[in-house]
Amino acid sequence: MLTISTQDGVLMASPTEAPGVSDGALSPLRKRLSVLLGAERVVDDLRRYFGIGLPPGAVAFTGSRFEHLAGGGDRPEVADWITAEDLVAVQTLSVTVPAPVALDILEGPLGTRLTGLLHTIPRDTDMVDAHADVVADGSPADQAWHLLRDQPDVGWVIAGKLLARKRPRLLPVYDRVVRCAVGRPSSFWLALHTALREDDAALHRQLLELRQVAGVPETVSVLRVCDVAVWMGHRAEGHACPR
């Protein structure tokens, strides 16, 4: 849980234990995220990443446009197919879909198959509110991830980022830096789903409060706030994350 206080006129955020909840009862990912999101630097990291209150000449990270570019990948008119704008959006996160795969997505049978799967994945549901079946092994979201991952030179990072662009409230960005920071659960989606829901959704509320304190627009998903906070903190510590 996040406690918000004022110090020298500046809003400060700090974690506090939820009453009556034993730390031992929480999942490993929940415990780890509580530590990472409770770091003193988190609010400043979020502001820097999203370009909030930067000094003259400073610029936001390109990834700050990932969800919002061209109105977002989950806007109703394009929610069920991957567009050229989505392919550009993932480039703001330092990955590129190989040209042959991109053409297959835009003009070929791969795109048709992905559209069929996206049509069955909820568009307007937050992960915390979704049933575990929505992100479980064998679900349409999981099938779409495997379909993308198995394309030549795509892999799990690009696959996950494309799907996070299409369903930002439901599916998280998960790359090598985040994996290095939080570990390797057998299913990151299911582990994060559990972490967000346990303890009466305290982690979800903490992320909402962090977003508010940092001044990040409400149109940025809770999952993206989590990803950015973890990524920025771990990156700043200079870890050599394995590939």
Side-chain angles (χ1 to χ4, degrees):
M1 185 177 298
L2 199 69
T3 298
I4 301 175
S5 59
T6 302
Q7 180 176 326
D8 297 329
V10 179
L11 284 173
M12 307 292 289
S14 61
T16 59
E17 291 294 329
V21 176
S22 169
D23 184 66
L26 300 176
S27 66
L29 182 59
R30 168 73 164 85
K31 294 177 187 177
R32 180 61 177 152
L33 287 174
S34 293
V35 172
L36 296 172
L37 297 174
E40 291 184 3
R41 61 173 299 134
V42 169
V43 169
D44 286 340
D45 280 345
L46 288 170
R47 288 173 174 162
R48 181 181 171 216
Y49 189 93
F50 288 101
I52 299 166
L54 292 180
V59 295
F61 282 66
T62 59
S64 65
R65 298 291 299 147
F66 172 67
E67 288 187 345
H68 290 159
L69 182 69
D74 62 337
R75 65 190 193 276
E77 61 270 26
V78 299
D80 293 341
W81 63 85
I82 297 175
T83 67
E85 294 158 345
D86 297 325
L87 300 177
V88 173
V90 298
Q91 292 186 37
T92 69
L93 300 185
S94 303
V95 298
T96 301
V97 178
V101 178
L103 290 173
D104 199 1
I105 288 173
L106 296 176
E107 300 177 343
L110 178 58
T112 301
R113 293 175 66 188
L114 288 167
T115 290
L117 291 168
L118 285 168
H119 184 69
T120 64
I121 303 172
R123 181 183 66 84
D124 56 356
T125 301
D126 290 317
M127 177 178 267
V128 70
D129 296 322
H131 193 279
D133 289 350
V134 176
V135 292
D137 293 350
S139 66
D142 182 63
Q143 292 177 50
W145 181 86
H146 277 90
L147 180 58
L148 284 166
R149 184 204 63 178
D150 292 342
Q151 300 304 310
D153 300 317
V154 173
W156 62 276
V157 173
I158 295 176
K161 289 179 177 181
L162 266 174
L163 291 177
R165 164 71 180 177
K166 300 311 295 181
R167 296 293 184 270
R169 295 169 57 184
L170 180 67
L171 303 176
V173 172
Y174 182 54
D175 63 10
R176 292 178 178 85
V177 175
V178 175
R179 183 181 68 179
C180 187
V182 304
R184 303 187 184 198
S186 57
S187 169
F188 179 70
W189 289 356
L190 284 174
L192 183 57
H193 179 267
T194 296
L196 289 167
R197 289 170 65 91
E198 62 189 348
D199 188 16
D200 195 27
L203 179 62
H204 181 80
R205 296 196 307 273
Q206 180 182 7
L207 289 164
L208 288 172
E209 292 183 33
L210 278 173
R211 185 174 69 182
Q212 179 183 16
V213 172
V216 176
E218 292 184 2
T219 49
V220 174
S221 70
V222 163
L223 297 183
R224 187 75 178 117
V225 171
C226 185
D227 165 51
V228 169
V230 171
W231 187 87
M232 288 287 284
H234 201 66
R235 174 179 172 272
E237 292 174 0
H239 294 276
C241 298
R243 298 188 65 80

